[in-house]
């Protein structure tokens, strides 16, 4: 077997080592354009988990690498003159130059040929190779050469960064958030060997411009950074090594394999430095490739297995890196935060670290986070305990004169079980049991303002006296038997109306018994959906009146709050999105125009809804589609509604057009709530794949939302909140007297369950290398 490897970085060298170990007879050559010790950069960082992998696949290089490593356990966050340290993180740093020298040495020992100062321009010279590994880094020439085949996507991010170094010793992975006269600068710094640390400086393009960095050379830039971070550097210099300012390219490729050529490392996929995973990804690619070669009968089969087996893992890491880099790009959103809350946001930004998880490893820090949260609640007028605070989920919240006992919300969920718009006994039991389950606020499903406003024949309505009486019965039950408040969500289906019940084909048109549809523009949802009629002014007036009449009925029912549904492609949403609104009158074109009718409806409702009761609006903060609404538009939409008197923005996403491409994942819509809340400065509720109380607390404590709604989790577990209250020991949560014995039992058991769980978690967690090193350094106890 003959293997040609283009690029002598971590991906190229490590794949050479692992392939040679498996196939000692193979002729493997690495071609590197630079000299053997001619490498850019300072240090690289690996997590303990990555090192475990290295140990398994090549213990020899692992041992040499770890002999050279600097270990640390803590992350330190410096912000506005404060520092917070969080332990239990388990990271190691190493010089990139040493790492490459170790890998080169190991490759040579195994019989790999290393050709330095050999730039490869054309793969034709490897016509006799069985396998060509393209590991030529982030600016890969070969990826670009075969661009039509690999179909790379290069997303050049907005922040500008430079990779520098220092002699300043550091005992923690250190983030410094520094205010300057030009704007915020961030340093990501860690020590990788005695007397040497990596310093990556990052800022937004406007601050970069204002600081005049574009006009400075490498040395002058370093001096400027030394000036900004001088207070921390304690006289240590900032070092450079080809430390140019640049924008980070997020790279993805549609295909990783072409004939016998395969992309590895940064050439294939990059991951932002803020999660320190570039070298890890490169070396784990090498592991995956060697594994696939070992298990497959032919090179072609191996390359297919490599791509199939590895893609998901790489995309997961890239997704985490994306979320993390976006946090750093928008750090100004959090600049006014309390420093403890800010530090919690830094720690939890990429979703892997959560409230519970930090409670285990840094209980004092989480205690501080809880206290800071409780202080904010106290400042908003609640007499809550700040010294022994409840977890954020169980802190009260107020909108106008409506007080919520806690911040868990039952999301609006259509039950498709009404008859001619009439809520049934099912609805009474459904809403009633969720109210008894402890959530602070219950939303109704989308309640339609007229017969033709319905999505399906099973949708509930509020346009006649019988329906009003049925809703009144539900509201009265909730008020009489629970501490929950209940919000009426009003909506009109628009072009998504006259469709089948969810279980008969979501959004699919009714085969018979349909009704006329209206929308902002005459565009059907599916090509075979009924064509909606473009609303004229008279229809707009009529529909607005239907909304107003339904709101008045809602007030007569005794609802505590009113939500206007402007999301998910329904009638009012169809005005907001440019994908569904192609009007040329005053209601189409600019966002201001597209918002005109939804705002008109909102204002009409605000006019009749009692001023002491709050109102919210549900929006789709992105259409997940080219040319549609984006997060920035959502901020503008939220501001416009806030000016019109909205108290809370309920931030959902999508469902506007059929061909959207949502990026699902845990808490996947939370970044939009974060953006709306912290840019438009309006209270938000987030929702979407939030399944645990741990996630609820993480979101609230980090200031990404004020309320958290759960839809599907509440369908199968009405008692979600009461169970969470037992877990966190939140004694005060309302429980119906009839259920008190059950409540007492679960509270009692939870104390023990939680202790057992934490002990198990602590036992299961392997010691970090920093802990092991500290233990080894301890003198033996005297007998
Ligand atoms: C600012 C910054 C900070 C980072 N911090 C970290 C960190 O803390 N931890 C971490 O793990 N990663 C970090 N990374 C990422 C890390 O450096 C890369 O992800 C990693 O080096 C990728 O390995 P690779 O082998 O794919 O590519 P590279 O290391 O870039 O290697 C590619 C090699 O191919 C050679 N080459 C290119 N073209 C040719 C050609 N035509 N012929 C011959 N040779 C060629 C190049 O000279 C180079 O040596 C950081 C990156 C940046 C930019
Ligand atoms: C069956 C079903 C019905 C829904 N009905 C509504 C609705 O009537 N109004 C609304 O705004 N959202 C509705 N949604 C969206 C949910 O409120 C929620 O935003 C979504 O399910 C994501 O949250 P989850 O991951 O917690 O379920 C519905 C979702 C589902 C699955």
């Amino acid at each position: 077997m003959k293997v040609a490897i283009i690029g002598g970085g971590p991906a190229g060298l490590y794949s050479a080592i692992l392939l040679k170990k498996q196939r000692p007879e193979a002729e493997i050559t690495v071609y590197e354009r630079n000299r053997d010790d001619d490498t850019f950069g300072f240090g690289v960082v690996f997590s303990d988990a990555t090192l475990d992998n290295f140990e398994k696949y090549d213990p020899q290089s692992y041992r040499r690498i770890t002999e050279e490593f600097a270990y640390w356990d803590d992350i330190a966050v410096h912000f506005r003159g404060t520092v917070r340290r969080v332990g239990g993180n388990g990271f190691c740093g190493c010089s990139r130059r040493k790492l490459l020298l170790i890998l080169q040495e190991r490759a040579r020992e195994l019989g790999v040929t290393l050709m330095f100062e050999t730039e490869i321009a054309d793969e034709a010279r490897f016509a006799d190779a069985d396998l060509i590994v393209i590991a030529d880094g982030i600016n890969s020439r070969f990826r670009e050469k075969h661009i039509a085949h690999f179909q790379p996507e290069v997303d050049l991010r907005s922040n500008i960064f430079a990779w520098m170094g220092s002699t300043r010793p550091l005992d923690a992975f250190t983030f410094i958030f520094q205010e300057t006269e030009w704007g915020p600068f961030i340093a990501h710094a860690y020590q990788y060997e005695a007397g040497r640390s990596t310093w990556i400086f990052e800022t937004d393009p406007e601050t970069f411009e204002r600081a005049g960095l574009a006009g400075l050379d490498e040395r002058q830039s370093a001096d400027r950074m030394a000036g900004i971070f001088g207070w921390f550097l304690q006289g240590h210099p900032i070092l450079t090594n080809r430390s140019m300012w640049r924008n980070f390219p997020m790279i993805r490729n549609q295909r990783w394999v072409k004939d016998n050529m395969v992309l590895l490392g940064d050439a294939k996929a990059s991951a932002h430095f803020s999660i320190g995973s570039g070298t890890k990804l490169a070396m784990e690619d090498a592991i995956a490739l060697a594994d696939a070669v070992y298990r497959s009968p032919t090179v072609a089969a191996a390359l297919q297995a490599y791509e199939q087996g590895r893609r998901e893992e790489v995309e997961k890491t890239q997704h985490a890196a994306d979320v993390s880099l976006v946090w750093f790009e928008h750090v100004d959103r959090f600049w006014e935060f309390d420093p403890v809350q800010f530090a919690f946001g830094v720690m939890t930004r990429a979703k892997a670290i959560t409230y519970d998880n930090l409670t285990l490893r840094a209980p004092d820090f989480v205690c501080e986070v809880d206290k800071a949260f409780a202080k904010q609640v106290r400042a908003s007028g609640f007499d809550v305990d700040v010294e022994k605070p409840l977890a954020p989920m169980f802190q009260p919240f107020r909108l106008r004169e409506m007080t919520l006992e806690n911040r868990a919300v039952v999301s609006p969920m259509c039950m498709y079980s009404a008859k001619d718009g009439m809520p049934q006994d099912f609805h009474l039991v459904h809403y009633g049991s969720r109210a008894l389950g402890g959530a602070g606020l219950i939303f109704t499903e989308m309640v339609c303002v007229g017969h033709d406003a319905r999505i399906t024949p099973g949708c509930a309505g509020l346009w006649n006296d019988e329906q009003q009486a049925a809703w009144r019965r539900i509201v009265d039950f909730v008020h009489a038997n629970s501490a929950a408040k209940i919000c009426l969500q009003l909506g009109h289906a628009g072009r998504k109306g006259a469709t089948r019940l969810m279980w008969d084909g979501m959004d699919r048109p009714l085969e018979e018994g349909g009704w006329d549809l209206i929308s902002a523009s005459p565009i059907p949802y599916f090509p075979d959906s009924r064509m909606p009629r473009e609303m004229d002014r008279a229809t707009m007036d009529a529909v607005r009146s239907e909304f107003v009449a339904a709101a008045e009925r809602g007030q007569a029912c005794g609802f505590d709050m009113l939500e206007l549904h402007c999301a998910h492609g329904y009638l009012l949403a169809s005005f907001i999105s440019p994908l569904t609104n192609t009007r040329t009158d005053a209601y189409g074109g600019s966002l201001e125009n597209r918002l005109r009718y939804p705002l008109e409806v909102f204002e009409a409702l605000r006019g009749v809804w009692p001023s002491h009761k709050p109102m919210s609006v549900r929006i789709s903060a992105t259409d997940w589609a080219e040319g549609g609404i984006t997060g920035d538009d959502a901020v503008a939409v939220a501001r416009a509604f806030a000016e019109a008197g909205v108290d809370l923005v309920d931030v959902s996403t999508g469902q506007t057009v059929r061909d959207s491409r949502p990026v699902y994942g845990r808490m996947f819509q939370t970044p939009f709530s974060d953006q709306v809340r912290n840019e438009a400065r309006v209270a938000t509720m987030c929702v979407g794949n939030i399944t645990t109380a741990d996630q609820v607390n993480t979101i609230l404590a980090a200031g990404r939302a004020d309320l958290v709604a759960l839809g599907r989790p509440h369908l199968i577990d009405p008692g979600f909140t009461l169970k969470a209250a037992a877990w966190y020991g939140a004694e005060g949560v309302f429980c119906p007297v009839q259920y008190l014995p059950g409540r007492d039992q679960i509270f009692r058991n939870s104390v023990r369950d939680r202790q057992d769980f934490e002990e198990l978690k602590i036992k299961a967690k392997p010691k970090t290398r920093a802990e092991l090193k500290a233990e080894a350094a301890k003198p033996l106890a005297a007998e």
Side-chain angles (χ1 to χ4, degrees):
M1 188 185 189
K2 198 164 173 183
V3 183
I5 299 178
I6 306 172
L13 288 170
Y14 206 47
S15 59
I17 292 168
L18 299 184
L19 288 170
K20 187 70 183 169
K21 282 182 72 173
Q22 267 174 29
R23 303 275 178 106
E25 78 296 348
E27 200 182 301
I28 299 180
T29 311
V30 177
Y31 299 89
E32 167 57 50
R33 66 181 171 200
N34 293 334
R35 290 191 303 253
D36 55 356
D37 66 346
D38 180 21
T39 182
F40 72 89
F42 294 90
V44 297
V45 45
F46 297 121
S47 67
D48 276 346
T50 306
L51 285 178
D52 290 344
N53 238 350
F54 295 167
E55 183 173 20
K56 185 166 148 209
Y57 281 86
D58 186 45
Q60 287 86 345
S61 58
Y62 162 81
R63 266 198 299 278
R64 281 173 231 174
I65 291 170
T66 47
E67 274 163 19
E68 305 283 344
F69 261 51
Y71 297 102
W72 66 89
D73 226 16
D74 288 4
I75 292 181
V77 179
H78 295 259
F79 177 60
R80 290 216 313 254
T82 67
V83 56
R84 296 265 157 7
R85 290 177 76 102
V86 180
N89 297 287
F91 282 109
C92 315
C94 163
S95 124
R96 176 175 154 101
R97 185 170 164 277
K98 278 199 185 142
L99 173 73
L100 292 182
L101 291 177
I102 289 168
L103 296 180
Q104 287 170 13
E105 182 188 44
R106 176 77 180 130
R108 277 200 199 92
E109 266 170 31
L110 290 164
V112 172
T113 308
L114 303 179
M115 307 277 290
F116 290 97
E117 298 176 72
T118 311
E119 172 131 15
I120 305 300
D122 189 351
E123 73 274 20
R125 67 185 276 182
F126 307 126
D128 61 341
D130 300 288
L131 171 63
I132 304 173
V133 176
I134 302 174
D136 55 350
I138 208 150
N139 298 317
S140 171
R141 162 191 214 146
F142 289 91
R143 180 187 67 219
E144 294 309 305
K145 185 172 170 194
H146 299 288
I147 195 165
H149 179 84
F150 291 123
Q151 296 180 38
E153 182 195 310
V154 180
D155 175 11
L156 214 53
R157 302 306 309 188
S158 62
N159 268 9
I160 302 177
F161 75 94
W163 194 355
M164 301 191 187
S166 176
T167 52
R168 164 75 154 97
L170 297 168
D171 61 355
F173 193 112
T174 302
F175 291 110
I176 308 175
F177 296 86
Q178 185 66 44
E179 183 68 63
T180 70
E181 59 187 295
W182 307 288
F185 276 84
I186 306 164
H188 311 234
Y190 58 90
Q191 180 164 332
Y192 57 87
E193 61 184 27
R196 281 282 184 283
S197 46
T198 297
W199 284 70
I200 302 168
F201 297 107
E202 177 181 13
T203 191
D204 61 81
E206 294 78 27
T207 304
F208 185 79
E209 189 65 37
R210 282 193 292 268
L213 284 161
L216 303 186
D217 66 19
E218 201 179 350
R219 188 62 254 161
Q220 289 168 325
S221 287
D223 290 344
R224 177 65 60 81
M225 293 304 111
I228 293 175
F229 293 93
W231 64 271
F232 185 85
L233 287 164
Q234 299 170 342
H236 287 272
I238 290 291
L239 312 171
T240 60
N241 178 358
R242 286 194 262 165
S243 306
M244 299 310 166
W245 291 104
R246 47 201 158 135
N247 299 82
F248 189 84
M250 272 308 274
I251 293 174
R252 293 177 164 84
N253 281 276
Q254 282 289 319
R255 296 202 185 101
W256 295 359
V257 175
K258 180 177 190 305
D259 308 321
N260 65 341
M261 292 195 289
V262 58
L263 294 174
L264 248 67
D266 274 4
K268 171 195 89 304
S270 60
H272 192 247
F273 51 82
S274 62
I275 63 164
S277 287
T279 307
K280 160 200 153 84
L281 273 186
M283 291 176 67
E284 288 179 350
D285 281 352
I287 290 174
L289 177 67
D291 253 357
V293 168
Y294 177 70
R295 280 187 280 106
S296 310
T298 61
V299 168
L303 297 189
Q304 211 188 357
Y306 160 73
E307 179 166 351
Q308 272 176 2
R310 178 99 182 107
R311 198 173 260 283
E312 193 182 325
E313 190 57 34
V314 168
E315 287 178 355
K316 261 204 269 175
T317 306
Q318 283 195 297
H319 180 63
D322 267 353
V323 175
S324 172
L325 76 84
V326 168
W327 192 92
F328 283 100
E329 283 174 355
H330 296 290
V331 70
D332 55 326
R333 280 183 202 157
F334 316 107
W335 216 256
E336 303 302 320
F337 272 27
D338 176 290
V340 187
Q341 189 171 37
F342 184 91
F344 185 81
V346 178
M347 293 302 303
T348 56
R349 69 189 184 280
K351 301 198 287 195
I353 297 176
T354 63
Y355 179 89
D356 280 3
N357 181 296
L358 281 171
T359 304
L360 276 181
R361 49 170 134 151
D364 293 346
F365 174 63
V366 176
C367 196
E368 255 197 289
V369 170
D370 284 348
K371 283 185 183 174
F373 196 89
K375 265 190 210 148
Q376 286 175 20
V377 175
R378 189 176 252 280
S380 70
F382 287 101
D383 183 23
V384 296
D385 189 343
V386 173
E387 281 317 303
K388 285 180 82 187
L390 295 174
M393 177 175 171
F394 301 101
Q395 293 290 350
F397 187 62
R398 183 179 295 121
L399 289 167
R400 298 205 182 205
E401 289 179 24
M402 181 185 81
T403 298
L404 302 179
E405 192 200 48
N406 62 65
R407 297 180 182 230
V409 178
V410 176
S411 199
M413 299 286 276
C414 193
M415 292 291 104
Y416 309 100
S417 301
K419 296 205 169 58
D420 292 326
M422 271 290 285
Q424 306 293 302
D425 284 351
F426 176 87
H427 293 86
L428 176 68
V429 175
H430 169 69
Y431 292 112
S433 47
R434 268 127 206 99
L436 298 180
L441 178 63
I442 316 274
F443 273 71
T444 67
E445 60 202 278
M446 177 170 121
V447 173
C448 306
V449 295
H451 175 276
D452 289 359
R454 292 173 306 160
I455 309 168
T456 73
C459 286
L462 187 46
W463 67 82
N464 63 35
D465 293 346
E466 293 73 36
Q467 293 160 352
Q468 183 176 319
W471 281 114
R472 164 110 231 171
R473 183 165 167 240
I474 292 167
V475 173
D476 285 348
F477 179 90
V478 170
H479 286 160
N481 295 286
S482 80
K485 299 294 189 294
I486 181 161
C487 175
L488 168 66
Q489 185 189 59
L490 285 182
H492 188 303
R495 72 180 189 139
K496 291 174 88 177
T499 58
R500 299 178 210 169
L501 305 183
M502 175 184 71
W503 43 88
D504 291 336
M506 185 97 165
D507 296 328
R508 297 294 304 148
L510 282 172
E511 275 162 5
E512 50 194 49
W515 49 88
D516 285 345
L517 302 183
I518 49 173
S519 190
S521 298
I523 310 169
Y525 187 66
F526 283 107
D528 63 342
S529 297
R530 196 178 271 252
M531 175 66 81
R533 181 165 53 84
E534 176 170 307
M535 284 177 87
D536 56 18
R537 189 59 248 184
T539 319
M540 287 186 196
D541 290 344
V543 169
R544 189 188 54 203
S545 301
E546 284 182 336
F547 269 102
V548 168
E552 283 169 338
R553 287 185 183 278
Q555 164 60 7
C557 293
F559 281 104
D560 302 292
M561 176 174 167
L562 181 63
E563 172 160 291
L564 182 61
H565 198 330
C566 292
H568 302 165
Y570 297 120
L571 183 71
L572 297 175
S574 78
F575 275 84
I576 300 175
S577 172
L579 301 176
T580 47
N581 180 343
T582 55
R583 298 174 75 102
T584 52
D585 61 4
Y587 301 93
S590 65
L591 180 60
E592 190 189 351
N593 281 1
R594 286 182 272 123
L595 271 171
R596 198 181 302 276
Y597 183 61
L599 282 173
E600 217 178 82
V601 175
F602 180 85
E603 280 160 1
L605 295 190
R606 193 62 273 184
V608 295
W609 191 245
S611 62
H612 66 281
K613 290 188 180 182
M615 278 187 70
S616 62
V617 60
R618 181 165 256 207
I619 62 168
S620 283
T622 173
D623 288 331
W624 299 112
E626 190 80 28
I629 290 287
T630 64
D632 288 345
D633 294 326
V635 173
V637 170
R639 283 203 178 108
F641 276 104
E643 269 169 34
V646 94
D647 303 294
L648 178 89
V649 179
D650 172 0
V651 185
S652 185
T653 68
Q655 301 176 49
T656 310
V657 286
R658 283 270 305 125
D659 51 356
S660 60
R661 291 179 58 198
V663 181
Y664 293 117
R666 275 171 298 161
M667 307 182 268
F668 74 110
Q669 296 176 156
T670 303
F672 296 97
S673 163
D674 185 340
Q675 182 175 6
V676 169
R677 179 179 192 268
N678 297 310
E679 285 188 18
R681 309 271 167 195
V682 50
T684 62
M685 177 167 89
C686 69
V687 63
N689 223 1
I690 298 161
T691 51
T692 65
D694 177 24
Q695 291 168 352
V696 174
N697 280 316
T698 306
I699 292 165
L700 293 170
R704 298 198 166 112
D706 298 276
L707 296 176
V708 181
L710 298 94
R712 288 164 297 169
H714 271 123
L715 289 186
I716 44 93
D717 187 1
F720 179 90
T721 305
L722 264 175
K723 284 184 188 161
W727 186 255
Y728 289 101
E731 295 280 350
V733 171
F734 176 86
C735 176
V737 282
Q738 298 88 332
Y739 295 171
L740 282 177
R743 192 206 86 115
D744 292 347
Q745 183 186 48
I746 191 173
F747 266 74
R748 236 182 0 256
N749 290 349
S750 277
V751 176
R752 203 186 49 230
D753 290 350
R754 196 174 163 131
Q755 261 167 11
D756 290 351
F757 175 80
E758 288 178 357
E759 272 166 26
L760 268 179
K761 276 249 174 181
I762 289 165
K763 263 192 213 145
K765 183 180 170 296
K767 286 208 160 69
T768 64
R769 280 166 176 77
E771 284 164 346
L772 291 172
K773 206 172 169 187
E775 268 177 24
K778 263 192 218 154
L780 286 178
E783 287 285 303

